[in-house]
Amino acid sequence: MSNKEHIEKTFPNRRSNTLCGIKNDASITGAEGDELVTAQNLLLEGIHFDLTYYPLRHLGYKTVVAGISDVIAAGVVPTHLSLALGLSSKMSLEAVELLMEGVAMACQKYELDLTGFRPSSSLTGLTISTSAFGFAPKGKTLNRSGAKENDLICVTGDFGAAFMGLQLLEREKQVMKETGQNDPDFGGYDYLLERQLKPEARIELLTQLQEAALEPTSMSLVREGLAAALLRLCKASGTGCNIYENKVPIDHSTSTLAEEMEINPLVAALNGGEDYEMLFTLSLDDYQKIEKEGKGLKDVFVIGHITPESKGYTLETNAGEEIELKARGWGNEENKN
């Protein structure tokens, strides 16, 4: 059992109006006929970002995207954001203003009101904490626990790009450290850098689902890798899953850089993290309805299906072999080609 799962078991829901608490991407609490959806996020300098190469405007923008994506994963449009900053002595007023410019840009794009802001001193580098909020009619929120056997597993976007963008930044940082030069060579991998430094929230998925009259049976945010998100969804739903290697969306530039750096592109996609994509399940009836009507969903891909829990969690390779799907960390030899 992971530390996170242990903590989930240590904190049960005690109040009747806590509809979905610590076990979900976002907590769901009843509020005067509507459901209030909240989500917290924490970014730490040296753990989640490196100011050596992270533009502060981009960091402010990403802070908002990271904060609201859990609310979106509950099927809810985020409306409000609260922000707290721990500021080290090296952060000048001008630096803070740059950071907040990025926050303001994201708030404008996603139509958010910043309803809380609390700066404080920090002895351990820049710390950024957010609380995001949204409201939904009763019974219209989503969580991880609704997937059913034979549901189709769907994802937005592509995977592994943010991780490979980080590898590129770290590589060039090391080169500059060794050579003393200050002209990093990113080799035309702009897309990978953007996915790492300035990701976007998948809020448009909610509009697509509503317009197509589709109701996902479950949904989760892909933050720590596709494999980890899928396993958590299946465990919450009491199901198994089967996905296909050739169905996992991977951008060409992700594959190119991964191969250049001797990293398996599929492993990067499954375990890379920071994708901020959505993982959700649809019933066969819903999927057949959109297929029949020719509506489809833009930038959404079916990568497999839900199976009985007894079947476990499997990945079918391009060679037709079924292997156990696991969520692995980085730094192990098995993550190399």
Side-chain angles (χ1 to χ4, degrees):
M1 181 186 298
S2 69
N3 289 338
K4 194 168 186 179
E5 289 172 333
H6 172 70
I7 291 173
E8 289 175 354
K9 290 182 178 296
T10 305
F11 290 86
N13 296 337
R14 295 184 173 88
R15 298 180 179 272
S16 60
N17 66 341
T18 302
L19 306 180
C20 196
I22 194 173
K23 292 185 179 181
N24 201 43
D25 293 303
S27 64
I28 303 171
T29 306
E32 298 182 357
D34 285 338
E35 291 173 355
L36 168 66
V37 180
T38 69
Q40 288 69 48
N41 192 57
L42 182 66
L43 298 177
L44 303 172
E45 183 179 353
I47 302 295
H48 301 104
F49 59 88
D50 186 336
L51 291 179
T52 303
Y53 50 69
Y54 221 118
L56 286 167
R57 285 193 185 93
H58 285 11
L59 180 58
Y61 194 96
K62 184 175 181 176
T63 292
V64 176
V65 170
I68 67 175
S69 289
D70 286 312
V71 174
I72 296 170
V76 176
V77 175
T79 56
H80 300 81
L81 187 77
S82 181
L83 176 67
L85 298 177
L87 302 170
S88 67
S89 58
K90 68 181 180 181
M91 287 288 289
S92 65
L93 179 60
E94 291 77 14
V96 175
E97 288 178 346
L98 287 173
L99 179 74
M100 294 307 295
E101 283 178 16
V103 171
M105 289 170 57
C107 285
Q108 181 178 10
K109 175 163 186 175
Y110 297 109
E111 298 183 347
L112 303 166
D113 284 346
L114 185 66
T115 55
F117 176 65
R118 183 177 294 275
S120 181
S121 298
S122 169
L123 298 177
T124 56
L126 177 59
T127 300
I128 309 173
S129 175
T130 59
S131 293
F133 305 86
F135 296 87
K138 268 193 172 179
K140 293 300 182 180
T141 52
L142 299 171
N143 55 51
R144 297 179 182 139
S145 60
K148 301 291 190 298
E149 184 180 346
N150 295 323
D151 283 355
L152 296 178
I153 301 169
C154 306
V155 295
T156 61
D158 59 80
F159 297 89
F163 175 78
M164 292 313 305
L166 178 61
Q167 302 313 299
L168 181 61
L169 288 164
E170 289 289 346
R171 184 184 73 181
E172 293 308 305
K173 175 185 174 182
Q174 185 62 32
V175 169
M176 288 190 293
K177 183 178 178 180
E178 293 174 355
T179 63
Q181 297 177 348
N182 196 27
D183 54 343
D185 178 14
F186 295 128
Y189 290 116
D190 293 349
Y191 176 69
L192 304 184
L193 294 176
E194 183 177 354
R195 291 280 282 164
Q196 168 58 220
L197 297 175
K198 191 175 175 287
E200 298 291 349
R202 284 294 183 178
I203 198 168
E204 76 282 356
L205 174 65
L206 303 183
T207 302
Q208 288 192 69
L209 293 171
Q210 183 178 25
E211 290 177 347
L214 298 176
E215 296 186 5
T217 53
S218 67
M219 187 179 288
S220 184
L221 173 66
V222 181
R223 183 193 296 273
E224 298 164 352
L226 176 58
L230 183 53
L231 293 184
R232 287 179 67 83
L233 184 147
C234 289
K235 289 177 182 179
S237 297
T239 68
C241 65
N242 185 55
I243 63 172
Y244 301 88
E245 177 180 358
N246 63 355
K247 298 295 185 182
V248 176
I250 302 174
D251 188 79
H252 175 71
S253 58
T254 300
S255 297
T256 301
L257 182 60
E259 290 166 2
E260 178 185 324
M261 300 181 74
E262 298 185 340
I263 294 173
N264 186 325
L266 179 65
V267 176
L270 293 176
N271 298 290
E274 291 199 289
D275 298 296
Y276 297 107
E277 298 291 356
M278 293 296 156
L279 164 71
F280 62 99
T281 52
L282 281 179
S283 68
L284 279 172
D285 287 343
D286 259 359
Y287 185 76
Q288 289 169 352
K289 179 176 69 175
I290 61 173
E291 286 287 289
K292 183 178 180 181
E293 295 176 358
K295 292 181 178 179
L297 295 174
K298 184 180 179 181
D299 212 18
V300 170
F301 307 93
V302 177
I303 63 169
H305 60 278
I306 296 295
T307 62
E309 187 174 20
S310 59
K311 295 289 187 180
Y313 320 109
T314 58
L315 167 74
E316 186 169 317
T317 68
N318 292 338
E321 179 186 4
E322 277 195 2
I323 61 175
E324 183 181 359
L325 182 66
K326 294 183 178 181
R328 296 185 173 93
W330 283 93
N332 299 322
E333 284 304 312
E334 62 188 331
N335 289 331
K336 299 286 186 176
N337 263 326

